[in-house]
Amino acid sequence: MKHLFQKQNKWEFLMLSFLILVILFFISINAGYTPIGFRDILRILAGGGEARENLVIFDFRLPRIVIAILVGMGFSLSGCVLQGITRNPLADPGLMGINSGAGIVVVIFMTLSGTLSIGGVLTLPFFSLLGALLTSVILYSISIQKNAGLNSTRLILNGVAIQAGINAMMTIIVLQLDDTQYNFLAVWQAGSIWNSNWKLVVSLLPWIVLGMLYLFLKAKELDLLMVGDELSSGLGVAVNKEKKSLLFAAVALAAASVTVSGSLHFVGLLGPHLARRLVGSRHKILLPFCAITGAILVLLADTIGRTIVSPSEIPAGIVAAILGAPYFIFLLITNNKSKVKER
């Protein structure tokens, strides 16, 4: 199958994945307590909807769908970059503790502020980024070795440990809250497209768009970093400088996504892996395919979560974990087998 996809026109395959995303977009708009037919959706989107229909589509479902798509793109692109610069197939912003570092700052911010004004919505990603950057600095400093440089396996293990520690701290904070705050943050921690509205779309959109554009411009550098530090340096790449800037972009994408969705586990792992298996490792095609794959995963998880037990909801993070955990175990097994063969 891998050989077959390599023989096909990868850009046509990219367009096919975009078509799947568009189809899922309309399925997600239709899904819910009040189903709306395809023709009615087109009529409402064209401006011919009644007041109740406009409320359901434009105020409730559409912002949630847009946020799910943006969040999926952010996490998947972040995971793609982390896997590229560490050359570790298990690298993921969730597993490395970056999501948790951003999340604890969001929890503290929400606990102190209580409600979000438009100013709070716009500044929240900056606070989230500070938490994620602090976590990344700690993770990098304890994972690097003087003689051997950055140990990617050690990076993952330290990230899991940091994530567990931060989650424990977050649980302690949550237990001190009143019932309303506790219920909200419990759902948010599980990974939910919470409080979806256009203000959150406005706060998230610039981060995802700018981060995506920057990574597309750095596609060539990402390709060169995949071959190793020494060879990349010999080809004229400023390895340390490029790694730091790309790591900052990956952290920023993950941190901004965490602010509106909580920590959606395994999206940053599963999205890049599926994309790489289908279109290869050239980042010129891999990055846009990663973005679309991540968007499909999160939108699918959110749609399943809000329809499978309707009118109740299952947080998208739980659905994503159910989809991603078996794949993560598979990767661990195959990664260990490959290391045994190398020895």
Side-chain angles (χ1 to χ4, degrees):
M1 182 177 291
K2 184 177 179 182
H3 178 73
L4 175 63
F5 284 133
Q6 287 177 343
K7 290 292 184 181
Q8 292 177 340
N9 189 317
K10 295 177 181 179
W11 291 104
E12 289 181 1
F13 196 67
L14 179 67
M15 294 304 298
L16 177 61
S17 66
F18 180 76
L19 178 61
I20 293 173
L21 178 61
V22 172
I23 293 172
L24 184 57
F25 172 86
F26 283 102
I27 292 174
S28 187
I29 287 184
N30 174 263
Y33 185 75
T34 306
I36 301 174
F38 178 73
R39 291 182 179 178
D40 291 327
I41 291 172
L42 294 178
R43 173 177 54 81
I44 296 166
L45 293 177
E50 299 176 357
R52 182 174 177 276
E53 292 174 327
N54 289 335
L55 179 67
V56 172
I57 295 294
F58 291 107
D59 290 350
F60 295 139
R61 294 185 185 175
L62 201 54
R64 180 167 184 162
I65 291 169
V66 174
I67 287 175
I69 290 172
L70 293 175
V71 163
M73 289 180 172
F75 281 130
S76 188
L77 287 170
S78 177
C80 181
V81 173
L82 291 174
Q83 290 171 18
I85 62 178
T86 63
R87 301 197 303 280
N88 190 320
L90 302 179
D92 168 72
L95 294 173
M96 293 173 64
I98 295 172
N99 291 355
S100 296
I104 193 169
V105 176
V106 174
V107 168
I108 294 171
F109 185 93
M110 291 296 296
T111 302
L112 296 177
S113 64
T115 58
L116 280 178
S117 62
I118 183 64
V121 168
L122 294 176
T123 57
L124 187 56
F126 290 97
F127 288 105
S128 178
L129 178 60
L130 289 176
L133 284 174
L134 179 60
T135 304
S136 301
V137 170
I138 294 173
L139 176 61
Y140 185 85
S141 63
I142 64 176
S143 300
I144 195 167
Q145 297 173 312
K146 291 183 178 179
N147 298 326
L150 186 65
N151 186 311
S152 58
T153 302
R154 189 174 178 179
L155 185 75
I156 301 298
L157 294 175
N158 288 335
V160 172
I162 289 175
Q163 179 192 24
I166 294 175
N167 286 342
M169 294 171 57
M170 204 179 301
T171 302
I172 293 173
I173 295 172
V174 170
L175 290 175
Q176 310 303 315
L177 305 178
D178 59 42
D179 290 342
T180 302
Q181 290 176 318
Y182 175 83
N183 291 334
F184 166 75
L185 289 176
V187 173
W188 181 86
Q189 275 187 290
S192 175
I193 311 298
W194 62 275
N195 193 26
S196 52
N197 57 61
W198 292 111
K199 290 191 296 184
L200 292 176
V201 173
V202 170
S203 72
L204 179 61
L205 185 62
W207 293 78
I208 303 301
V209 171
L210 292 176
M212 192 183 307
L213 290 175
Y214 176 77
L215 293 181
F216 289 166
L217 293 174
K218 291 293 182 178
K220 182 179 178 181
E221 284 76 7
L222 277 166
D223 286 340
L224 293 175
L225 288 173
M226 290 286 290
V227 301
D229 293 353
E230 292 185 4
L231 185 55
S232 299
S233 180
L235 294 172
V237 178
V239 174
N240 291 331
K241 179 182 176 182
E242 294 295 345
K243 278 191 174 183
K244 288 178 181 178
S245 63
L246 289 167
L247 179 61
F248 179 84
V251 170
L253 284 167
S257 300
V258 164
T259 60
V260 297
S261 69
S263 183
L264 287 170
H265 297 288
F266 299 114
V267 175
L269 177 74
L270 191 56
H273 268 274
L274 291 175
R276 192 172 282 109
R277 283 179 177 272
L278 294 175
V279 299
S281 299
R282 294 291 300 271
H283 284 84
K284 183 179 179 180
I285 181 69
L286 177 62
L287 287 170
F289 197 78
C290 270
I292 295 177
T293 304
I296 290 173
L297 287 172
V298 175
L299 186 55
L300 178 63
D302 185 58
T303 303
I304 292 173
R306 63 186 174 88
T307 56
I308 194 170
V309 291
S310 180
S312 300
E313 291 187 11
I314 300 175
I318 294 177
V319 179
I322 293 172
L323 297 174
Y327 191 74
F328 176 63
I329 295 171
F330 167 75
L331 286 177
L332 281 175
I333 294 172
T334 55
N335 195 43
N336 288 334
K337 285 183 178 179
S338 64
K339 287 183 177 179
V340 170
K341 288 180 180 180
E342 288 176 2
R343 290 176 184 175

